[in-house]
Amino acid sequence: MRLDGKTAIVTGAGSGLGKATAQLFGREGARLGLLDISQRRAEGVAAEINAALQRTVAFACRADVSKKDELAPAIAQLRENLGPINILVNNAGIAQIKDFLDISSVEWQRMLDVHVKGTFLCTQAVIEDMLNTGWGRVINTASVAGMEGGPQNAHYAAAKAAIIGLTRSLALEFARSGITVNAVAPGLIDNILQAVEGRAQGSTVAGNISQTTAEQVRQFFLRRIPMRQLGKPEDIAHAHLFLASDEAGYVTGQVLSPNGGYVM
Ligand SMILES: NC(=O)c1ccc[n+]([C@@H]2O[C@H](COP(=O)([O-])OP(=O)(O)OC[C@H]3O[C@@H](n4cnc5c(N)ncnc54)[C@H](O)[C@@H]3O)[C@@H](O)[C@H]2O)c1
């Protein structure tokens, strides 16, 4: 129970890595706010967690992380359910595979808004709780694409690189406040394959790379991953758990990248 007595908000908790993190944090004793643009998915995950633990620890709410007017009432509602927020996992994200010349300015802006502005707004919305209690953990979601770039992925890679810059800046700014700010940069995680097949509920990748089969994507990346295996959502959840724990109190401004050796 490494998060016993702690409160945590996980954004994008309705699917994939956010769902796995919420499930693990619940088992580790945290009380949870599950924020997602899909109320239905967030409620589904909250119901699963509460049923598994046989008590109500998870509360769902809907908001688009990039919209301050939606976020403010959603966070206020979660704060009413949970009390002051101790841990924030900025995980909500979208993906799109597209040639650079085909990316529209609307698509560019949406990618930056969801990832960078969303991380900025969510952090601003909860950090005063952390300042007041003198303890806090902010965990942002980058990607190996933000570390080394990605073909047909310029807007996504740019957003993820910006998140790394934001993470380090906030780590510096809050270093003496008991708040750590770190990023997790996942490599290729196997839920992406379900997304390619269009099976992942709520995934945004599906429509964009429908020309490529999941098996082609898997083989493409397996050749490049030294461990010759894709990650699992739980690999990322455990990285989140470490950074959220008391044991990680001396870790700040870092990028932890579970990626099977893909980027070193
Ligand atoms: N899966 C991977 O291989 C991988 C690799 C590197 C980084 N990542 C990052 O990890 C994070 C989670 O990815 P995933 O694979 O679990 O994706 P996913 O599509 O399975 O889940 C993302 C969740 O975020 C929600 N969401 C999307 N836009 C939102 C918004 N504007 N406001 C609130 N919620 C929103 C979706 O509804 C969904 O429930 C993303 O930031 C992604 O960029 C994933």
Side-chain angles (χ1 to χ4, degrees), residues 10 23 84 113 132 244:
V10 180
Q23 289 172 322
D113 279 353
N132 290 336

Side-chain angles (χ1 to χ4, degrees), residues 3-240:
L3 303 181
D4 200 20
K6 295 291 198 301
T7 60
I9 289 180
V10 180
T11 71
S15 164
L17 314 186
K19 176 177 176 179
T21 295
Q23 289 172 322
L24 180 61
F25 279 21
R27 289 199 297 277
E28 292 290 335
R31 299 178 67 243
L32 296 163
L34 311 185
L35 191 146
D36 203 284
I37 198 164
S38 161
Q39 175 87 22
R40 184 179 54 79
R41 283 196 294 274
E43 274 175 2
V45 174
E48 268 182 52
I49 291 173
N50 293 334
L53 298 176
Q54 296 186 321
R55 59 202 167 94
T56 304
V57 301
F59 301 87
C61 82
R62 199 214 85 89
D64 179 336
V65 292
S66 69
K67 299 201 168 128
K68 192 173 180 175
D69 57 337
E70 292 185 14
L71 208 49
I75 301 273
Q77 182 202 318
L78 289 179
R79 198 179 274 118
E80 244 175 56
N81 292 325
L82 302 170
I85 309 305
N86 306 129
I87 300 162
L88 171 66
V89 183
N90 282 309
N91 163 83
I94 55 174
Q96 187 181 43
I97 305 292
K98 208 156 193 189
D99 288 342
F100 176 66
L101 288 175
D102 294 336
I103 297 171
S104 71
S105 56
V106 172
E107 289 168 331
W108 172 271
Q109 194 57 52
R110 183 67 186 150
M111 193 62 81
L112 272 288
D113 279 353
V114 173
H115 292 274
V116 189
K117 190 177 175 192
T119 300
F120 159 69
L121 289 176
C122 291
T123 306
Q124 237 185 16
V126 304
I127 205 145
E128 266 183 54
D129 286 1
M130 301 179 187
L131 288 168
N132 290 336
T133 50
W135 192 98
R137 299 281 186 265
V138 178
I139 303 163
N140 297 329
T141 306
S143 163
V144 288
M147 300 162 82
E148 61 155 21
Q152 297 166 303
N153 224 353
H155 49 353
Y156 180 81
K160 292 306 194 181
I163 284 175
I164 294 174
L166 176 61
T167 300
R168 291 180 177 143
S169 305
L170 296 184
L172 286 170
E173 192 161 336
F174 296 106
R176 286 173 297 284
S177 309
I179 300 169
T180 66
V181 186
N182 292 287
V184 170
L188 251 290
I189 310 304
D190 63 9
N191 70 317
I192 202 101
L193 300 180
Q194 294 173 326
V196 174
E197 293 288 22
R199 288 196 305 265
Q201 280 192 337
S203 178
T204 43
V205 188
N208 298 306
I209 44 178
S210 55
Q211 301 307 311
T212 316
T213 68
E215 193 49 32
Q216 284 170 320
V217 173
R218 210 171 86 85
Q219 291 307 329
F220 177 85
F221 283 108
L222 280 183
R223 282 196 294 278
R224 290 162 180 78
I225 298 171
M227 284 188 177
R228 296 285 185 267
Q229 61 189 50
L230 270 56
K232 300 192 175 317
E234 293 70 29
D235 294 323
I236 305 308
H238 282 284
H240 287 155

